[in-house]
Amino acid sequence: MGEYVIALDQGTTSSRAVLIDRLGRIKGMSQSSFPQLFPQPGWVEHSPKDILSSQLKVLAELLVSTGVSASQIDSIGITNQRETTVVWDRVTGEPIHNAIVWQCRRTTEIVERCCSDAEIAAEVTHRTGLIPDAYYSASKIAWILDAVPGARERAEAGELAFGTVDSWLIWNLTQGEVHATDPTNASRTMLFNIHTMDWDQELLDLMEIPHVLLPKVVDSSGVVGMLDKSILGVEIPIAGIAGDQQAALFGQACYEKGMVKTTYGTGG
């Protein structure tokens, strides 16, 4: 059993890796920013490859700066910017478009078209806990499928994969072995039923998104896959996933109904 855990914190403007010992003490940290892309006013994108390369860079830098070997790492956890949407080729692993970031407003018309009926909007809110908005992943997926030539047909044929940033990282860290997310990220897509705790087929039909595109929803705490040996020379369990706000809520000991935290991140 290893002496440390590593937290990968993939944020909106930077990626971090944090080394934590068995007493919960931070023993080291590495951070690297990556480019923000603004194709048009109100549009925000990231290169998925920039997200991945910056995260791998800080992971390697963390071990070098602390002098800790990969064999001393017990497990890795991932926390990430939520809602940001990536679609990629299941065979090549290549993204078919830049990631559309949670801040991006390009898909407002899609949400207004799908959820203009008050009864439909109320049902979406009942199922997801969310007020329909372009903030969430659903309309971003729909936009990519319509904007990229052939994407919708390829998605329906099972050739493409969707993921929020956690899923994109896990796919690459496991060399394509695992396509998964957790409820904290799934619940921010506007496609996840918080009562059944699974993808909701009626919401998928509403947004015209093929079910085959989606990751498996796994527990936030538990081994989801193994860091591929090619990355650090040893396999390491990936044993935790949580969207950044929920991770902060838990980290600040908000465990019961009625407890509140406030966040001062990029969105603040």
Side-chain angles (χ1 to χ4, degrees), residues 101-178:
V101 180
W102 57 270
Q103 298 156 302
C104 188
R105 302 304 300 172
R106 77 183 68 179
T107 61
T108 300
E109 289 183 6
I110 295 174
V111 177
E112 290 175 349
R113 182 178 71 246
C114 293
C115 303
S116 59
D117 183 281
E119 288 187 9
I120 291 176
E123 186 62 24
V124 171
T125 297
H126 169 70
R127 294 177 185 229
T128 66
L130 307 173
I131 297 172
D133 195 88
Y135 188 170
Y136 308 112
S137 308
S139 60
K140 304 180 194 301
I141 302 169
W143 188 94
I144 291 173
L145 294 184
D146 289 335
V148 177
R152 184 167 292 280
E153 292 76 16
R154 295 182 65 205
E156 291 170 352
E159 297 175 12
L160 302 180
F162 151 74
T164 43
V165 168
D166 56 309
S167 298
W168 169 245
L169 290 178
I170 290 166
W171 175 278
N172 284 282
L173 294 176
T174 63
Q175 295 293 295
E177 289 295 315
V178 179

Side-chain angles (χ1 to χ4, degrees), residues 76-118:
I76 293 172
I78 295 171
T79 182
N80 55 282
Q81 54 164 315
R82 306 169 306 161
E83 298 97 16
T84 294
T85 296
V86 188
V87 178
W88 66 92
D89 185 299
R90 288 185 182 273
V91 175
T92 66
E94 288 290 314
I96 67 166
H97 192 276
N98 276 339
I100 301 182
V101 180
W102 57 270
Q103 298 156 302
C104 188
R105 302 304 300 172
R106 77 183 68 179
T107 61
T108 300
E109 289 183 6
I110 295 174
V111 177
E112 290 175 349
R113 182 178 71 246
C114 293
C115 303
S116 59
D117 183 281

Side-chain angles (χ1 to χ4, degrees), residues 170-214:
I170 290 166
W171 175 278
N172 284 282
L173 294 176
T174 63
Q175 295 293 295
E177 289 295 315
V178 179
H179 183 211
T181 189
D182 85 310
T184 70
N185 283 289
S187 67
R188 304 296 290 180
T189 61
M190 215 173 80
L191 299 171
F192 184 76
N193 190 310
I194 60 174
H195 307 288
T196 65
M197 295 298 287
D198 202 357
W199 302 115
D200 189 300
Q201 188 59 52
E202 289 192 35
L203 295 177
L204 290 167
D205 292 343
L206 175 68
M207 302 303 296
E208 300 182 330
I209 294 170
H211 192 290
V212 70
L213 196 64
L214 304 177

Side-chain angles (χ1 to χ4, degrees), residues 248-260:
L249 187 75
F250 189 80
Q252 293 172 20
C254 291
Y255 304 143
E256 300 174 13
K257 286 184 179 180
M259 300 179 80
V260 175

Side-chain angles (χ1 to χ4, degrees), residues 9-21:
D9 175 14
Q10 204 304 295
T12 307
T13 56
S14 69
S15 295
R16 281 187 291 185
V18 185
L19 185 72
I20 302 163
D21 70 12

